[in-house]
Amino acid sequence: MLFQRLTRRAPHLVQSARRFSSTPYGRLRTTELFEGGLETLKVNPDRLWDTIHSTAQWTEPRSTPAEDIRTAGLARLTLSQEDKQARDWFVETTKSLGCKTHVDQIGNIFAIRPGLNNGDTPATFVGSHLDSQPSGGRFDGVLGVTAGIEMLRVLNDNWIETEGPVGVVNWTNEEGARYPVSMMGSGVWSGRIPLETAWNVKSVTPGPVTTVRQELERIGYMGSVPASYNGGIPIGAHFELHIEQGPKLEVSEQKVGVVQGVQAYKWFTLTFTGREAHAGTTDLEHRSDALHTAAHFMLEVRSIAKELNGLATVGLLTVSPGSVNTIPGQVKMSLDVRHPSDDGLSEMVKRVQNLCQWYATHVSSRCGPPGPTVTMEEDFTSSAVLFHEEAIKCVEESAASVLGDGHASLMQRMTSGAGHDSVCTNMHCPTAMIFIPSKDGVSHNPSEWSEKEECATGASVLLQSVLRMDKLRKDRGDFD
Amino acid sequence: MLFQRLTRRAPHLVQSARRFSSTPYGRLRTTELFEGGLETLKVNPDRLWDTIHSTAQWTEPRSTPAEDIRTAGLARLTLSQEDKQARDWFVETTKSLGCKTHVDQIGNIFAIRPGLNNGDTPATFVGSHLDSQPSGGRFDGVLGVTAGIEMLRVLNDNWIETEGPVGVVNWTNEEGARYPVSMMGSGVWSGRIPLETAWNVKSVTPGPVTTVRQELERIGYMGSVPASYNGGIPIGAHFELHIEQGPKLEVSEQKVGVVQGVQAYKWFTLTFTGREAHAGTTDLEHRSDALHTAAHFMLEVRSIAKELNGLATVGLLTVSPGSVNTIPGQVKMSLDVRHPSDDGLSEMVKRVQNLCQWYATHVSSRCGPPGPTVTMEEDFTSSAVLFHEEAIKCVEESAASVLGDGHASLMQRMTSGAGHDSVCTNMHCPTAMIFIPSKDGVSHNPSEWSEKEECATGASVLLQSVLRMDKLRKDRGDFD
């Protein structure tokens, strides 16, 4: 009967499914998997690995030998010709795996595999992005999308029918590299970014200046579906597999991060104003050295971050007038502060502001009048995100299941340091993320790397998380 | 008889001298001044002040009101059209004051006023420079040359005949701004810089690229006299009046600095190499943050300098990759270290090198492997200079004489932080310098300032120093 239903609703699946009729799972629905076998349902590591690297083919010399892949990286700027090729591949592949695809007005592509109950029921999605940094790695975003495709293949191979529809979504311009608004596609979908605003963003990378709208039209991905959770393609739940982009899992020798949220962060520009003077003729005690004060500030801010369990980073710093033998009169620097909670971040910012005040009143007397003064201007703010507890539990149970014996020491709950498309989906549906280790914590770099088995472990957790959520939604009546 | 001698040897002086025959000094020779009257021999503050500001006329709006002079500054790049005008003025003025002028092959202009004994006897010179920084002040260099001219006027006004010849020298390209070799004219004269090397230096300021030789020829200051202490114009002794360019005199409320030498200094380029990483995903303890280590280094180096009574300055610093949310992987910075003695400087450098080593072995374990490493490359070195004790004593006695009662609290012996033409003359003749206060210690800036009375005090000390040296040289038989 299951086979008949499958034939009726998804005739294109039958051919491929038949090839795998000897699998131990047979023709099963999600709820049946929970009676036994779910623990052993895993992805095919080699196939996933091949998919990851074959999607890089349009941006690498085709002859890249396997041993050079570790340094080949990826350069697939959003809405570029290379991105069009990756999108075309995504559409063809998901269609061939039995999905219906939809492109919305910001170019997000939703591929939906029917479930036993469809109608108006939003699908449980796996999502991430195929675009990269100008000189990026092969895993950031790509892993999440290819793991979604691997999920479709495993479901087909095993003749698994989910209770509700499941899907894979490729979000437009997550990186914000070519068009400097990150998480653009999911941001528009969530209502956080107005569509017109996104359309009019201009390119900042080398080449002719274009708008998002012009390039969407040029590559044929200006869809007709409204780019909105409301009236466009709704999402029932969203899971995202991603590389950690940090060293925590590697250092603790763990395999899976159960991501429970994204930390809050703020960006500031600080200006230190002292007084230019001759390096050879001005005694230390008579200096108003903007750079020396900035150096002191950097160490103090690090201490504040350490004490409050947050992060603080100075990534940009310019010195003026900039001469070997002139004491700097002005320093401008960026400050990136982060904390898992909004309250924690506020406390950090308050302490940093007090520190700036302290210089105005204390360093001036120490360095001779007038001492360097510090001003602090907020450029950007992003609140803390807490993912959905049920979705997190789906990930946690799946990780325990995939990792098997000793799983407790191989996984941890963690907070993402970076933003992801899941931040936007979390505004409208249960969302959680899965992290796998990043070699040396490196990302946004050609040397970004995760091992084949690590990718496969993450993808298996993703696959099982979707099925657990499918069961949960069935149980609570989402598909009735 | 003195008048007859004057008429015979320097008929061009007589006319101007006659106008001042009512001065208390009458017609005197240096040795006679020492019998009484030297203490009260001072310059004319208003005349000196007018000369300083009138030499700025070719680079300022002619209508600059007196009250705006404090911010008008000076832009007289070496060998420019403005420099030619200042040089022409210098030649005409010194000639009209009874001097013979000589231009050497690097454009140095020597104006010599005959003494009672001439022949092959080298003159006692006052020297400095008329060129300025692109956006410089009105005193740096200019004060020394105009005070030399004021000296000539005072000598003429008072019918003073020196024992040996005295002169004023305008050195070419002291600043090294347009042609980036500072103290060029005096450097060639001293043998420190080969003439051909200096001739071939190319301009670095905006405008067509030219060589020193081309511009010397264009403005008509490629002289025929060899540019050398040996075979060109020799110098018997050299005094230079200069603004301090630092805050010491102002802070200690003193009027005269008796400069006994120039500190040793070295310039280095330091490279801090850590590892780029995402600011949001990398824990503090797993960072290899090149900028954080650089900040720590800057504070430590300042402590070393303080402990050893030297100076340390970081004036240039660049961060890469330079992104708000990327932990810097590399920092390059300049380091300028100075000390009054060569040994003191060596000790400072040794301590800084040890600090660099310390990072290699200690910070790596603190920040997680691989920790930032630091390399240090020497770019430039200048040994300590000790001026001539007899010349210093001439300045010291003259300062005490000019300052009068309470002089001990109004002057100090000091070491120059910056290089000056006197560093080069000191290689071949007794040399010393005089400093006067710089407002706020500021120099190389339009707001560079010293008061009229401060300039006059310094010029009077300069005048008396030359006469004291003249007496000294007479006494030791230089003019026999």
Side-chain angles (χ1 to χ4, degrees), chain B residues 102-110 171-172 184-196 198-199 216 221-235 428:
Chain B
H102 311 268
V103 180
D104 73 13
Q105 292 179 304
I106 195 68
N108 297 321
I109 315 173
F110 301 82
W171 297 106
T172 295
M184 180 184 276
S186 53
V188 172
W189 178 88
S190 72
R192 198 158 104 153
I193 304 168
L195 177 63
E196 288 284 345
W199 271 350
L216 279 171
Y221 278 87
M222 171 64 90
S224 56
V225 178
S228 173
Y229 70 98
N230 183 10
I233 305 292
I235 298 182
H428 302 291

Side-chain angles (χ1 to χ4, degrees), chain B residues 25 100 122 151 265 397 460:
Chain B
Y25 308 105
K100 186 161 186 225
M151 170 189 76
Y265 66 100
E397 287 169 21
S460 294

Side-chain angles (χ1 to χ4, degrees), chain A residues 318-390:
Chain A
T318 56
V319 176
S320 71
S323 154
V324 180
N325 59 347
T326 304
I327 296 159
Q330 194 182 68
V331 167
K332 275 188 182 283
M333 64 159 71
S334 64
L335 177 66
D336 172 314
V337 285
R338 304 191 184 222
H339 199 278
S341 77
D342 289 330
D343 286 351
L345 190 70
S346 296
E347 176 63 16
M348 276 184 75
V349 171
K350 207 179 85 187
R351 296 273 288 272
V352 174
Q353 284 166 335
N354 288 347
L355 177 63
C356 293
Q357 286 302 314
W358 185 87
Y359 287 110
T361 53
H362 287 75
V363 175
S364 56
S365 61
R366 205 176 61 185
C367 296
T373 57
V374 192
T375 61
M376 187 167 162
E377 202 178 326
E378 185 175 313
D379 297 323
F380 186 76
T381 187
S382 177
S383 298
V385 172
L386 289 178
F387 288 144
H388 192 273
E389 195 50 42
E390 282 183 341

Side-chain angles (χ1 to χ4, degrees), chain A residues 170-307:
Chain A
N170 173 42
W171 298 106
T172 295
N173 191 28
E174 192 272 347
E175 293 291 359
R178 184 182 183 196
Y179 297 99
V181 173
S182 61
M183 298 176 272
M184 180 184 275
S186 54
V188 172
W189 177 89
S190 72
R192 199 158 102 153
I193 302 168
L195 178 62
E196 288 283 344
T197 303
W199 273 349
N200 293 324
V201 174
K202 290 188 171 64
S203 58
V204 293
T205 43
V209 175
T210 56
T211 64
V212 167
R213 179 170 196 158
Q214 285 169 338
E215 286 293 270
L216 279 171
E217 283 167 347
R218 184 184 68 78
I219 67 166
Y221 279 88
M222 170 63 90
S224 56
V225 178
S228 174
Y229 71 97
N230 183 9
I233 305 292
I235 298 183
H238 186 268
F239 291 96
E240 185 170 4
L241 168 64
H242 208 280
I243 55 170
E244 183 197 337
Q245 301 181 279
K248 286 184 205 177
L249 290 173
E250 185 181 63
V251 167
S252 58
E253 298 184 347
Q254 294 179 318
K255 295 298 172 198
V256 174
V258 179
V259 186
Q260 56 194 358
V262 179
Q263 46 186 2
Y265 66 101
K266 280 179 188 283
W267 288 352
F268 295 94
T269 297
L270 286 107
T271 306
F272 295 75
T273 307
R275 195 173 54 201
E276 290 175 29
H278 194 296
T281 60
T282 314
D283 276 353
L284 298 179
E285 61 264 39
H286 299 132
R287 297 183 174 203
S288 181
D289 184 335
L291 183 56
H292 187 253
T293 303
H296 187 268
F297 175 88
M298 286 189 265
L299 299 192
E300 291 295 316
V301 166
R302 166 80 72 110
S303 298
I304 292 171
K306 199 170 175 183
E307 192 184 326

